[in-house]
Structure formats: structure tokens, C-alpha cells
């Protein structure tokens, strides 16, 4: 293969991969120098001139003329008689530059050249891709569904880059089909061998934070600050917001008239219920707000243990705890305090027993169902109406009656 033909074939990569001229020249020179080292043992005395735009290349080998029979290194020295076959007036000690045609390297070396070039260009692409997406970690990104697999959705962006959305990074009720556009945050970029693997997440708190930035101008402009975001993806989230401008109501601005501003975010997250609350450095007030929609009577804080006892009227307990315990769990995560709910005005009777004491007779998940609505003792369950318990828990009437019989037997004998 002639030099020009080889360079033309190499130049195809420049168009396909959008590599700049300087980078392509550096890669080409590196590839050719490796080939020369293999053939001649060293590339120190070679000049390589490449012009990929014109599609030409020259390799010149530089040697010093020595007396016949005194050549010690054939790569850097040339005998006088051989030099004079190139030009008859060469003398000992002069430098001879001789062009090396690629064909002289051998067919196998030329094939290896091409393979080496492909490898170097892929390496260059992967390095650039890794750097590009490293800078995008935590940012919202949109890509199209290319393939749906059991453990992940494979996405492609406009530049043909593959992005992985693992099952555990999807919102539970997400459903995607080929061709759908998907939004999420770039969570991480990992090198798998030499190839970067780009991971997207729709469950990360940062995704909700970035959606607020996109959808609410005051957040984007910095007039409203998002202090903290906690989520149970697809179920519920709490967002603490603050503003340094007293004229701005941060909660009102985020929610919008009749929820108009937050509606698009809720829809994007599969109808995730989002509570937006005013941030404050007053821990008692912050905990009170975090437990919304429940109305809290009193909060007692133990700063050292980072715990808080929250007193509520009996009818507010289930609101504070929330479905599946989600509300109190998120309030604890948001405020950084472990929150204990105490029913106001209900003193534990001397003969009362905690439900957990019945774990041998009552299954743990049944006890948890009662605890979710603030009933954690035998008397607190027995004081409730059976029909009301059926409505407020996920328990069958038969199960509730069985529990009541067990509790009555213990307390009433």
C-alpha cells in the first residue's frame, strides 16, 4: 500500500470521529513511530512528516556515512559505497536522508498500523467521553430508549453515546418503551476496561432538585435556595426551601397557583407526592413543619442524642406517621432528628403492654401495620373501633379480630 493511499484510509477516521487535525497528526505519528521501533529497533533517527488534510505523509531515515566495513549500527550508519549509490558525491561523516516507503515495513506491519490506529482513536474517544460526562455528574440529561432489558434500560443520546438506567435507579412505576425520551441525572461514570459506562438515575434526590431548577425560575435564578431534598421514589418527597428576600414566599413560588408549577415535576416523577416546606434554623419549628400535614402540639428535643419527642392529638398521629410510615421517615431524614410520636393526653395504663411484646403470637408485619397509624400498645388497639381499623390499615377484619382476642386474653385474663 502506498503512503498516500494509507493516509487517505486513515483520514476517514477524522471525518467519522470528528477528531481535530492536531490530535489526528499526533495519533498518526505515535502509531508510525511504534511501527518503526519494531522494524528498526529505534525511531530516534526518523523524521515523520504528516499532512492528513492533503492525504500525504513522508518518512525520512537519517544516517551518518562511515567507511566501508565500519558500520556498527545499520539503522543509524550507512557505508560510503551504499551512500554513493544514493548520491555519488557523499563523503564520510556526512548525513544521509533517505525516504522510507511504507511498503518497506511489510504487509503485516501495515495491517498492524491500521489496527493500532483504530485502537488509539477509540482510546482517545473514550478518554474524551469520560471527561465529558464526568463534568455532567449531577446534571439532568435526556436520552432516547434504545433497548429495554430486565435489569436496565439502555439509552442513546443524540451523539450515539450509550447511557445505562439500571432498574434500581428507576422510579417503581416507570414504564419505558423503545423511542421514549427519558430524563434523569448523570449519577456516575465508571471505566469498564477502557470504555466508560455512564449511569443515569431517576431516584436520586439530585434529580428532584434539578427539576426544581428547570421548572421554577426563582430557583434557577438563585432567589430561592433548596436546602435539602429527601425522597422515597415514586411515593413521597420533602423539599426544604429558603429565600434571602423577605418579599418572596419560597413555598408559594415553588408550588404555584393551585399547584400549577409543581404539577409537571410530580407528573415526571410518577405522581410522587411532594411536600415543600420553609426551611428554618429553629429545630422545633423545622420538625413541626417537616411533619406536615399533621398539626403538632409540642416538640421536645434532645440535642445530644439528636432525638425529638413530638406530641400530637390522637387524630393527628396517623397524618404524622403517614402511609407506610413514609411521612415520619422523611421528616427524620430532612431534619436529622430521630422522631418519636407521642399521643397527647393518653397516658399508658399500668397494665398496658407494648405490641412488640406479642411478637411470638402476632406476626411482625401485622404489628407494623398498627404502628404505622400510631398504635403501639395493646390498650391503644383495644380502644379503637374494628371498622375504623380496617379502614386505616391494610389488614383484613379477620386478622384484626384475631389480634384483639390475643390482646384481650392477655389483659383481661
Amino acid at each position: 500500500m502506498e503512503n498516500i493511499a494509507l493516509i487517505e484510509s486513515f483520514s476517514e477516521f477524522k471525518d467519522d470521529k470528528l477528531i481535530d487535525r492536531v490530535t489526528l497528526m499526533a495519533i498518526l505519528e505515535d502509531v508510525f513511530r511504534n511501527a518503526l521501533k519494531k522494524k528498526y529497533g529505534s525511531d530516534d533517527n526518523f523524521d515523520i512528516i504528516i499532512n492528513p488534510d492533503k492525504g500525504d505523509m513522508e518518512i525520512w531515515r537519517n544516517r551518518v556515512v562511515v567507511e566501508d566495513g565500519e558500520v556498527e549500527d545499520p539503522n543509524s550508519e550507512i557505508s560510503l559505497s551504499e551512500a554513493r549509490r544514493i548520491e555519488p558525491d557523499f563523503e564520510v561523516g556526512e548525513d544521509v536522508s533517505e525516504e522510507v516507503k511504507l511498503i518497506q515495513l511489510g504487509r503485516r506491519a501495515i495491517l498492524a498500523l491500521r489496527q493500532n490506529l483504530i485502537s488509539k482513536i477509540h482510546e482517545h474517544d473514550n478518554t474524551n467521553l469520560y471527561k465529558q460526562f464526568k463534568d455532567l455528574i449531577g446534571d439532568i440529561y435526556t436520552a432516547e430508549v434504545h433497548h429495554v432489558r430486565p435489569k436496565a434500560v439502555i439509552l442513546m443520546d443524540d451523539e450515539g453515546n450509550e447511557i445505562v438506567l439500571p432498574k434500581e435507579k428507576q422510579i417503581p412505576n416507570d414504564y419505558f418503551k423503545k423511542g421514549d425520551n427519558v430524563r434523569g441525572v448523570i449519577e456516575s461514570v465508571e471505566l469498564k476496561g477502557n470504555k466508560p459506562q455512564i449511569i443515569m438515575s431517576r431516584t436520586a434526590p439530585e434529580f428532584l432538585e434539578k427539576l426544581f431548577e428547570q421548572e421554577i425560575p426563582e430557583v434557577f435564578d438563585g432567589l430561592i435556595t433548596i436546602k435539602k431534598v429527601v425522597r422515597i421514589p415514586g411515593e413521597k418527597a420533602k423539599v426544604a426551601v429558603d429565600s434571602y428576600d423577605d418579599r418572596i414566599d419560597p413555598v408559594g413560588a415553588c408550588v404555584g397557583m393551585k399547584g400549577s408549577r409543581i404539577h409537571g415535576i410530580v407528573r415526571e416523577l410518577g405522581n410522587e407526592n411532594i411536600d415543600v416546606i420553609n426551611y428554618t434554623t429553629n429545630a422545633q419549628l423545622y420538625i413541626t413543619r417537616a411533619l406536615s400535614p399533621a398539626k403538632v402540639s409540642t416538640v421536645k428535643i434532645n440535642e445530644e442524642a439528636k432525638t425529638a419527642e413530638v406530641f400530637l392529638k390522637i387524630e393527628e398521629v396517623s397524618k404524622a406517621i403517614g402511609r407506610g410510615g413514609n411521612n415520619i421517615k422523611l421528616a427524620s431524614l430532612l431534619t436529622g432528628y430521630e422522631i418519636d410520636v407521642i399521643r397527647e393526653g393518653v397516658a399508658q395504663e399500668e397494665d398496658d403492654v407494648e405490641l412488640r411484646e406479642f411478637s411470638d403470637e402476632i406476626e411482625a408485619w401485622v404489628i407494623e401495620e398498627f404502628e404505622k397509624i400510631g398504635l403501639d400498645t395493646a390498650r391503644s388497639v383495644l380502644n379503637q373501633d374494628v371498622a375504623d381499623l380496617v379502614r386505616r390499615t391494610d389488614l383484613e377484619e379477620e386478622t384484626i379480630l384475631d389480634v384483639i382476642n390475643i390482646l384481650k386474653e392477655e389483659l383481661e385474663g
Side-chain angles (χ1 to χ4, degrees), residues 78-121:
I78 184 172
S79 67
L80 181 60
S81 56
E82 190 181 346
R84 284 178 173 170
R85 282 198 289 273
I86 299 168
E87 268 189 46
D89 54 354
F90 271 125
E91 297 293 340
V92 171
E94 291 186 325
D95 292 328
V96 176
S97 290
E98 185 182 13
E99 188 173 3
V100 177
K101 298 290 184 183
L102 284 184
I103 199 70
Q104 293 172 238
L105 300 178
R107 184 170 179 79
R108 288 179 114 184
I110 292 170
L111 291 172
L113 269 171
R114 186 176 178 84
Q115 194 56 47
N116 197 9
L117 179 75
I118 293 168
S119 175
K120 292 274 184 186
I121 287 178

Side-chain angles (χ1 to χ4, degrees), residues 173 234-236 263 265-274:
N173 54 355
E235 290 288 334
K236 192 173 179 66
H263 181 66
I265 300 173
V266 170
R267 193 170 57 245
E268 173 70 56
L269 301 180
N271 294 322
E272 192 169 302
N273 185 357
I274 302 171

Side-chain angles (χ1 to χ4, degrees), residues 139-339:
D139 287 350
I140 280 188
Y141 205 76
T142 303
E144 187 178 292
V145 175
H146 185 259
H147 193 71
V148 179
R149 294 177 181 163
K151 292 187 177 179
V153 172
I154 308 302
L155 311 166
M156 285 283 182
D157 67 9
D158 292 339
E159 295 175 3
N161 299 316
E162 186 180 282
I163 295 154
V164 179
L165 176 59
K167 188 73 177 173
E168 64 272 17
K169 309 288 183 187
Q170 298 169 31
I171 296 167
N173 54 355
D174 274 346
Y175 172 76
F176 302 117
K177 60 184 185 299
K178 189 175 173 67
D180 285 349
N181 278 327
V182 179
R183 279 200 294 178
V185 288
I186 302 299
E187 188 173 74
S188 64
V189 185
E190 303 162 4
L191 279 172
K192 297 287 184 182
N194 286 326
K195 190 176 179 184
Q197 186 179 64
I198 304 153
I199 305 294
M200 180 186 277
S201 173
R202 285 172 51 79
T203 58
E206 291 80 8
F207 183 38
L208 178 49
E209 186 174 341
K210 290 295 179 179
L211 286 172
F212 266 68
E213 284 183 19
Q214 277 197 356
E215 303 294 331
I216 298 156
E218 291 87 345
V219 176
F220 180 80
D221 293 336
L223 297 172
I224 293 173
T225 307
I226 293 175
K227 289 292 191 177
K228 192 165 184 180
V229 176
V230 290
R231 293 176 68 192
I232 298 170
E235 290 288 334
K236 192 173 179 66
K238 288 185 183 284
V239 182
V241 294
D242 195 14
S243 174
Y244 300 107
D245 189 335
D246 293 338
R247 294 168 298 176
I248 294 174
D249 168 18
V251 172
C254 290
V255 174
M257 191 75 72
K258 294 183 179 178
S260 56
R261 283 185 162 186
I262 208 167
H263 181 66
I265 300 173
V266 170
R267 193 170 57 245
E268 173 70 56
L269 301 180
N271 294 322
E272 192 169 302
N273 185 357
I274 302 171
D275 290 344
V276 184
I277 68 164
N278 270 316
Y279 174 79
T280 175
T281 53
N282 181 325
Q284 289 181 321
L285 182 55
Y286 194 30
I287 290 166
T288 300
R289 289 173 178 173
L291 284 169
S292 173
K295 291 176 182 174
V296 175
S297 301
T298 316
V299 178
K300 289 184 180 177
I301 289 175
N302 182 331
E303 274 297 345
E304 195 174 324
K306 277 290 178 182
T307 59
E309 289 183 338
V310 178
F311 295 82
L312 305 104
K313 290 179 180 175
I314 190 71
E315 63 270 20
E316 297 296 323
V317 170
S318 60
K319 294 179 193 173
I321 292 170
R323 189 176 74 176
N326 288 346
N327 198 60
I328 195 166
K329 188 187 300 179
L330 288 173
S332 292
L333 289 171
L334 190 72
T335 60
Y337 288 85
E338 187 179 321
I339 300 171

